[in-house]
Amino acid sequence: MPTTSQQVAPETVSRVRQFYAEQMQLIDDGDVAGWAATFTEDAVFSSNGLPAPGHGRAAIEAGALRAAAERRARGARHRHVQSALAVRDAGAGTLRCRSYVTVVETLPGAPPVPVAQTVLEDELVLHGGEPRVRARTVVRDDLR
C-alpha cells in the first residue's frame, strides 16, 4: 500500500514507537546525553512550560541537565508515559508525530503522582532509517 500524507508503513510506525520508548527511558533513567543524541544538531525544543525555546542539541541537553539535577536534588524520579501516538508522513523523509505524555513523579516514601499531562508534537527525520527529532513542541495542559 503506498504511503500518503496520512498513511505510514506499519514497520515505520513500529520503529517510531520503539524510538519513543527508548527515548523516554533514556531521560527517565538520567541518561541526558543519550537522550539529547536522539535530536538533530539543529533541533528546536519548545514548550509552554519553558521561558524560551532551546535551539540546537547542545542547548536542549543543557536544559535537560538542569531539570535532571533539580529532580536529583529532590530525590524525585520521573516516568514519561506515552499514549495515543499518531504518525503521519510529511514527505521528504519527515514524519509528524502527535501523542499524549503523562509525567508521573515519585518521591522517596511517597506514592507516584501524575505531575503533568502534555501534548507532544514532533517533527522526526530519518537518518539511515533511525528517527531523530528535528522539532519538538510540548504543551502542558495545566499551563494553557
Side-chain angles (χ1 to χ4, degrees):
M1 177 160 57
T3 300
T4 69
S5 63
Q6 297 301 311
Q7 299 172 337
V8 176
E11 58 272 11
T12 300
V13 174
S14 179
R15 180 62 198 113
V16 168
R17 287 185 189 285
Q18 183 68 24
F19 166 78
Y20 280 119
E22 292 170 358
Q23 186 191 50
M24 291 183 191
Q25 289 180 27
L26 286 167
I27 198 68
D28 289 345
D29 290 343
D31 184 355
V32 175
W35 175 82
T38 66
F39 290 80
T40 63
E41 286 290 336
D42 63 345
V44 177
F45 187 112
S46 60
S47 172
N48 63 343
L50 297 174
H55 292 274
R57 184 188 296 160
I60 294 167
E61 183 174 358
L65 283 168
R66 284 189 298 275
E70 183 273 330
R71 284 191 302 278
R72 267 192 318 278
R74 293 185 305 110
R77 291 201 62 115
H78 277 187
R79 299 287 183 231
H80 290 72
V81 183
Q82 185 181 43
S83 62
L85 174 64
V87 181
R88 300 286 182 250
D89 186 344
T94 301
L95 301 171
R96 297 227 188 276
C97 302
R98 186 175 194 270
S99 62
Y100 302 141
V101 177
T102 303
V103 181
V104 178
E105 180 175 89
T106 305
L107 295 169
V113 175
V115 293
Q117 180 61 51
T118 70
V119 175
L120 176 72
E121 294 186 359
D122 277 351
E123 179 180 281
L124 300 181
V125 293
L126 301 176
H127 289 280
E130 292 299 313
R132 293 291 175 260
V133 179
R134 180 167 49 205
R136 172 165 288 174
T137 301
V138 177
V139 178
R140 287 179 44 178
D141 289 352
D142 62 319
L143 299 178
R144 286 194 161 190

